[in-house]
Amino acid sequence: MKRDITPTSVEKVMREDDFIVSMTDKTGRITYGNRIFIEFSGYSEDELIGTQHNIIRHPDMPRAVFNLLWSKISNREECFAYVKNMAKDGSFYWVFTNVTPTFDPSGNITGYFSVRRKPKASGVKTASEVYRLMLEAEKKSRAGECHRSFHQNSGQHFE
Amino acid sequence: MTNSSLQFKVSALMWSFSATMAAATLTDLALGEINMPMVIFMLIVIALSAWGQWAIRRWLAPLAKLTVVIDEVAQGKFNSRVIDISEHKDEISLLCWSVNDMLDQLGTFFREQETSFRCNSEGKFYRQAMGTGLHGGFKKGLENQNILLLGMADQKRSAMRTRMLSRVHTLNTDKLLSNLFSSQQDMKVITDNMERLASLAKQTREDADESRSSVKDVVQRLSGIVERRVSWILWAACTRWWKCWGSPGTGMMRCKTKYSMHWRVPRKPVWA
Ligand SMILES: Cc1cc2nc3c(=O)[nH]c(=O)nc-3n(C[C@H](O)[C@H](O)[C@H](O)COP(=O)(O)O)c2cc1C
């Protein structure tokens, strides 16, 4: 369920010694978000829990990034990424995210855990340039098809 | 709800208050006085107690969740959180958020530690634990751990280097042995060849000696022949000259007389 929000050019900047924490189930549905997540995303805890994590997806983000993210974490690896997120009010905030799988005692993935830290300004500069080019390429080559089928195949994602 | 639970205690307090109110009103009734305001108060107090009972259950509900979460932490599990925390920022909901914050710090600390240890054991020494966003002792703990990891990585690298060097050494020794063996073989072949060459050379020399001596022989013989012939011719010439013109009357004459028209062939000289 994604709301129609028009992105604005208002930026929120993370604080140095804070991090945004969120947890999801195996399908990417939010099961927990900390207070900083609630503050930056602008949604209430109620609104966040049970919804897909793409609720804060920014239209400037190329699909390939999330493709990589999902292929890594479902392969039991951790993933680091610079992500531009969009708050409920349309403002954006950059994060340096680390997503790791959570395992049960017998080693099966039960969900995912992500920590988002304040990103380096130089990293944001590079990432936004690269993402802009990627997005252009994706728009040209309609790469979105692959992404959707990836999620359908892996069954990790319900929209 | 047990007899000692907080919810029971608060409910009991409220209901005992209601009961006292009810007792007072009923006593009045029994004495035949109908005190309307008292009856209304009594009804209000009973209603409040009923609502309070419901409310207190709701307000204290997070405590049950907190207990579950904290029990899990005591078992070494950091993945549970208290959710559906009331929007009203009462002490209990603040306590829940504080517990969640604490668990985020703990959980992230252990995840970072686990991931960086695993990566290091896989040789990805660049994956240090990230302390950003962690507070106080958690941050310090990861910083110390990173120092340890760096040391371990150094040791591992040098152990790898030593192992590699020793493998190269073993390889060398193995090669050395086979090299020595093949050099030995080569030497043998060379020696054999040299021997053959030497014997060939000897043979050639012998042949040469032989041929030289035969040449010498031939030359000797030839020169012998030539000498003999020359001296013979000279001798023959001298004797003929002497016989014909040397001493008239004796040589030629006697010759002529003895052998008529034939020149006498002189005897072979003694030295030939
Ligand atoms: C633990 C976890 C955290 C995630 N965090 C984000 C995030 O902060 N922003 C985001 O856009 N997507 C995040 N995702 C990825 C989303 O699940 C989703 O793949 C992405 O938003 C693309 O969604 P869409 O292709 O359905 O539009 C996260 C996924 C997981 C498992």
Side-chain angles (χ1 to χ4, degrees):
Chain A
M1 159 191 72
K2 261 195 98 170
R3 292 140 231 250
D4 263 331
I5 299 164
T6 320
T8 67
S9 55
V10 180
E11 181 174 9
K12 293 184 198 171
V13 180
M14 284 195 68
R15 294 173 292 264
E16 198 64 58
D17 60 344
D18 271 348
F19 52 39
I20 293 176
V21 177
S22 74
M23 299 207 248
T24 72
D25 62 9
K26 278 206 293 190
T27 70
R29 223 190 302 263
I30 299 170
T31 54
Y32 167 74
N34 71 348
R35 278 187 283 190
I36 318 284
F37 186 29
I38 291 170
E39 175 195 336
F40 273 82
S41 68
Y43 294 99
S44 68
E45 193 205 6
D46 227 34
E47 286 173 304
L48 288 175
I49 288 182
T51 31
Q52 277 294 325
H53 222 308
N54 65 11
I55 187 172
I56 51 164
R57 181 172 176 206
H58 199 284
D60 286 356
M61 282 300 291
R63 293 188 173 276
V65 173
F66 300 114
N67 240 335
L68 176 74
L69 170 87
W70 277 102
S71 71
K72 286 196 97 167
I73 59 176
S74 57
N75 193 32
R76 314 169 73 83
E77 292 170 61
E78 67 169 339
C79 183
F80 279 106
Y82 277 87
V83 179
K84 186 180 188 178
N85 281 325
M86 187 169 66
K88 193 179 183 179
D89 62 4
S91 61
F92 69 92
Y93 59 100
W94 276 94
V95 296
F96 180 53
T97 184
N98 170 244
V99 185
T100 45
T102 305
F103 302 102
D104 67 10
S106 41
N108 304 309
I109 293 177
T110 55
Y112 301 102
F113 180 95
S114 92
V115 182
R116 290 158 212 134
R117 298 170 169 94
K118 183 187 160 92
K120 271 196 220 153
S122 59
V124 171
K125 195 161 167 278
T126 313
S128 49
E129 183 57 23
V130 171
Y131 289 173
R132 194 181 57 76
L133 294 173
M134 282 168 77
L135 202 69
E136 260 173 39
E138 281 179 4
K139 274 183 188 150
K140 266 187 217 150
S141 70
R142 293 170 49 83
E145 308 284 291
C146 318
H147 178 73
R148 261 194 294 283
S149 67
F150 169 79
H151 279 313
Q152 274 156 16
N153 293 342
S154 56
Q156 259 143 5
H157 210 143
F158 309 106
E159 293 180 72
Chain B
M1 179 171 73
T2 59
N3 284 357
S4 55
S5 82
L6 201 57
Q7 192 188 329
F8 176 83
K9 282 175 187 162
V10 176
S11 303
L13 205 68
M14 285 188 307
W15 283 116
S16 58
F17 188 58
S18 309
T20 318
M21 272 300 280
T25 318
L26 288 176
T27 316
D28 277 358
L29 260 176
L31 294 175
E33 290 170 39
I34 298 190
N35 189 340
M36 263 327 267
M38 273 294 271
V39 174
I40 290 167
F41 274 131
M42 184 196 74
L43 292 176
I44 289 173
V45 168
I46 290 173
L48 275 176
S49 299
W51 176 80
Q53 167 127 35
W54 172 81
I56 196 82
R57 211 170 71 200
R58 240 194 46 173
W59 294 336
L60 296 181
L63 286 183
K65 291 189 211 159
L66 264 179
T67 311
V68 172
V69 167
I70 291 172
D71 281 350
E72 289 224 336
V73 176
Q75 301 300 314
K77 299 174 192 158
F78 308 107
N79 293 322
S80 300
R81 299 289 187 275
V82 185
I83 54 166
D84 294 328
I85 302 171
S86 107
E87 297 271 311
H88 314 288
K89 291 196 166 48
D90 58 17
E91 290 87 337
I92 291 180
S93 64
L94 286 177
L95 174 65
C96 288
W97 278 123
S98 297
V99 168
N100 282 346
D101 285 348
M102 181 185 77
L103 285 176
D104 289 345
Q105 293 278 321
L106 266 172
T108 305
F109 175 85
F110 282 110
R111 262 173 210 260
E112 275 300 310
Q113 190 170 63
E114 211 247 39
T115 313
S116 54
F117 277 171
R118 185 165 38 78
C119 285
N120 264 260
S121 71
E122 287 166 2
K124 298 171 194 157
F125 301 127
Y126 54 84
R127 178 55 169 101
Q128 293 258 302
M130 284 207 305
T132 323
L134 286 175
H135 303 152
F138 295 117
K139 193 176 189 145
K140 189 89 196 123
L142 286 190
E143 278 166 11
N144 288 339
Q145 183 219 285
N146 280 343
I147 296 172
L148 204 74
L149 278 182
L150 276 178
M152 272 163 58
D154 269 355
Q155 278 205 332
K156 242 186 175 164
R157 276 202 203 93
S158 72
M160 274 155 113
R161 206 165 25 235
T162 315
R163 205 158 45 231
M164 218 144 80
L165 280 176
S166 91
R167 280 192 56 198
V168 168
H169 182 73
T170 325
L171 266 174
N172 263 346
T173 321
D174 287 354
K175 277 269 178 287
L176 191 69
L177 280 178
S178 66
N179 276 350
L180 275 177
F181 184 70
S182 74
S183 318
Q184 197 190 19
Q185 301 279 89
D186 288 352
M187 286 302 279
K188 197 170 163 321
V189 172
I190 292 172
T191 323
D192 285 354
N193 281 342
M194 289 291 277
E195 262 167 22
R196 276 185 48 215
L197 204 66
S199 76
L200 270 175
K202 197 165 155 244
Q203 181 74 43
T204 318
R205 201 195 52 192
E206 274 167 11
D207 286 354
D209 274 355
E210 206 169 281
S211 50
R212 198 177 46 166
S213 63
S214 28
V215 167
K216 195 173 152 200
D217 201 33
V218 170
V219 169
Q220 250 170 16
R221 275 161 208 268
L222 271 175
S223 56
I225 291 167
V226 170
E227 259 171 46
R228 270 197 303 275
R229 283 291 159 261
V230 170
S231 46
W232 186 80
I233 289 164
L234 279 176
W235 172 251
C238 287
T239 32
R240 219 161 291 145
W241 180 82
W242 176 253
K243 290 236 168 102
C244 294
W245 296 284
S247 52
T250 45
M252 245 350 230
M253 298 319 247
R254 207 177 46 199
C255 219
K256 274 217 165 147
T257 47
K258 210 177 176 181
Y259 300 106
S260 172
M261 289 302 289
H262 296 285
W263 293 110
R264 190 188 154 219
V265 179
R267 223 169 32 91
K268 196 176 158 195
V270 224
W271 61 82

